[in-house]
């Protein structure tokens, strides 16, 4: 992949971002956002250093599972079941095994770029999760401090 990026940065980015916002279709991936969104994302990505982009590709193979076990806060995993970049069965579905008390919200027909393709469903899932996490914290007697209360005590 790094060689492909270096050989044709714009072509690589356009292809990668098309997959980022697509789900499997009948014989060909189905784009879940307007083509203009892919073009805009490609323009932003083109501003990055080619070396930095290549290094990022190398990091995709890093195994972070040991780090996940150290997470001690309520965790919401939002994952599209049509993700072609990091497929749900090998990633999102497995998160509760690695992250204590992780909650998984699957977006049906969602690509890797669910924030852009399914913004309303992502927002609703976040609200439900945050309300539940806040309620659980209050029930446990650990509601946290508001920013203003924290500032007054410092």
């Amino acid at each position: 992949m790094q060689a492909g990026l270096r050989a044709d940065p714009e072509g690589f980015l356009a292809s990668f971002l098309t997959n980022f916002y697509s789900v499997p279709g009948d014989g060909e991936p189905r784009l879940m956002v307007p083509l203009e969104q892919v073009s805009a994302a490609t323009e932003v990505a083109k501003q990055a250093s080619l070396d930095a982009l290549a290094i990022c590709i190398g990091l995709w193979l890093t195994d972070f599972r040991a780090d996940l076990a150290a997470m001690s806060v309520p965790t919401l995993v939002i994952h599209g079941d049509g993700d072609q970049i990091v497929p749900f069965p090998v990633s999102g579905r497995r998160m509760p095994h690695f992250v204590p008390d992780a909650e998984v919200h699957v977006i049906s027909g969602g690509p890797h770029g669910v924030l852009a393709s399914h913004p309303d469903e992502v927002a609703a899932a976040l609200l439900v999760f945050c309300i539940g996490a806040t309620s659980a914290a209050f029930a446990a007697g650990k509601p946290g401090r508001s920013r203003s209360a924290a500032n007054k005590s410092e």
Side-chain angles (χ1 to χ4, degrees), residues 78-79 105-110 114 117-127:
I78 299 176
H79 206 126
H105 179 87
V106 180
I107 296 185
S108 180
V114 293
S117 65
H118 294 76
D120 294 340
E121 187 171 347
V122 169
L126 284 168
L127 284 172

Side-chain angles (χ1 to χ4, degrees):
M1 288 182 88
Q2 291 166 326
L5 169 67
R6 290 190 184 282
D8 179 12
E10 188 168 349
F12 176 89
L13 292 170
S15 175
F16 177 82
L17 289 164
T18 298
N19 285 334
F20 186 89
Y21 293 117
S22 296
V23 296
D26 292 329
E28 192 145 324
R30 185 167 49 102
L31 190 60
M32 301 300 290
V33 299
L35 191 53
E36 294 79 17
Q37 183 134 14
V38 176
S39 298
T42 302
E43 289 304 311
V44 169
K46 284 171 32 182
Q47 296 175 44
S49 153
L50 190 57
D51 288 333
L53 290 171
I55 289 168
C56 284
I57 291 172
L59 293 174
W60 293 344
L61 300 176
T62 303
D63 185 350
F64 291 106
R65 288 177 289 186
D67 297 317
L68 295 173
M71 293 178 65
S72 61
V73 296
T75 303
L76 175 63
V77 177
I78 299 176
H79 206 126
D81 66 0
D83 188 336
Q84 299 180 102
I85 304 295
V86 182
F88 176 71
V90 298
S91 182
R93 178 180 290 151
R94 298 174 62 202
M95 283 299 115
H97 178 73
F98 299 107
V99 179
D101 301 318
E103 182 178 320
V104 178
H105 179 87
V106 180
I107 296 185
S108 180
H112 192 77
V114 293
L115 290 174
S117 65
H118 294 76
D120 294 340
E121 187 171 347
V122 169
L126 284 168
L127 284 172
V128 167
F129 178 78
C130 289
I131 290 167
T134 302
S135 297
F138 272 98
K142 301 176 186 176
R145 298 186 303 171
S146 69
R147 183 181 306 266
S148 60
N151 289 338
K152 287 178 187 174
S153 66
E154 294 175 1

